[in-house]
Amino acid sequence: MSGRPFRNIVILTGAGISAESGLGTFRDKGGIWEKFDWQKLATPEAFRSDPHSVHDFYNARRANMAGAQPNDAHRALAALELLWQAEDRGSFLLVTQNIDDLHERGGSREVLHMHGELLKSRCNSCGHLFEHTHALGVETACPSCARAGGLRPHVVWFGEMPLGLDTIYEALGACDLFVAIGTSGTVYPAAGFVSEAKAAGAWTVELSLEPGEVSALFDEHHYGPATKIVPEWAGRI
Ligand code: BJW
């Protein structure tokens, strides 16, 4: 711990926080990208050339997510947000790379999903964005323009611009504590957030199962399962 009181917090979560809820991570042994080829499933080009396979992949993950429950790490962050707001301690921004809804179901009020949300879809024809909890296919008609074939999962694929970056960079520039939880630090721009926070003078903390790619940039590290180390860390601050 730095020993100083913190006011403005930015927390970045990755797949590791949902691992103990039964949702797979991407790059661990047996992870999603070991079983599936991201080039064929998580790029705009893949969706253009084989939308059926991309829909199948996200439909299966949506069904899997519906059966998953938030864990103690999700709940600890929700409690921290509540405390920060109740005591008016400063700003609190929870940014997740995850497309699942476990932070919301764990009690978090405001979550910035920088890589999109599995429970939302959008129409490539008219741009309509809407909540969508069931399977999506090329034959599904847009509820707004009624055209079929244009709907896609509201997720950010490789080569696409992540969401909410203005809000995130503004918060990083003003934060005095940055915490990354359960992320390998492989995917940019999220992997670069620690550098932004450090440039703003923030104390930086890595909470994960093992050191990630940008681990050396953090001031403080705690390694272990998220359900153990996140509630412990949140309890300390
Ligand atoms: C536990 C645990 C437990 C396990 N407890 N911990 C060369 C250099 C730099 C950048 C690029 C480059 N070439 C291409 C790029 C850009 C590219 C990129 O970064 N590629 C890299 C792979 C090199 N990035 C993009 O294309 C992004 N867009 C972009 O850059 O736009 C232009 C731009 C420019 C400038 C500024 C801003 C923008 C878009 C990236 C989209 C990522 N999409 C995915 C899939 C879509 C959503 C989905 O299907 O779910 O998002 S990829 C996948 O990786 C997913 C994740 O959100 C993301 C990050 O993964 P995450 O969360 O870190 O998971 P893992 O599996 O990697 O790590 C899990 C961690 O948890 C591990 O460390 C474990 O140890 C730990 N763990 N169990 C605690 N129980």
Side-chain angles (χ1 to χ4, degrees), residues 168-212:
I168 296 170
Y169 284 117
E170 192 181 326
L172 288 170
C175 74
D176 48 23
L177 176 62
F178 173 77
V179 188
I181 302 172
T183 177
S184 61
T186 314
V187 175
Y188 286 82
F193 291 171
V194 58
S195 305
E196 297 286 328
K198 273 181 91 76
W203 182 256
T204 55
V205 183
E206 181 186 36
L207 304 177
S208 200
L209 206 51
E210 57 193 15

Side-chain angles (χ1 to χ4, degrees), residues 13-21 24-28 31-33 38 41-42 57-58 61 71 96-100 114-116 118 155-162 165 169 181-191 206-213 223-230:
T13 64
I17 196 166
S18 297
E20 290 160 86
S21 293
T25 59
F26 293 92
R27 297 169 185 83
D28 292 310
I32 295 174
W33 295 153
W38 65 266
L41 296 166
F57 174 64
Y58 284 100
R61 287 178 61 198
N71 63 47
T96 186
Q97 298 168 86
N98 301 341
I99 61 174
D100 66 56
M114 65 175 290
H115 290 163
L118 198 42
V155 300
V156 178
W157 289 319
F158 284 105
E160 295 187 314
M161 192 60 86
L165 289 178
Y169 284 117
I181 302 172
T183 177
S184 61
T186 314
V187 175
Y188 286 82
E206 181 186 36
L207 304 177
S208 200
L209 206 51
E210 57 193 15
E213 293 289 320
Y223 300 121
T227 54
K228 179 172 185 290
I229 60 175
V230 176

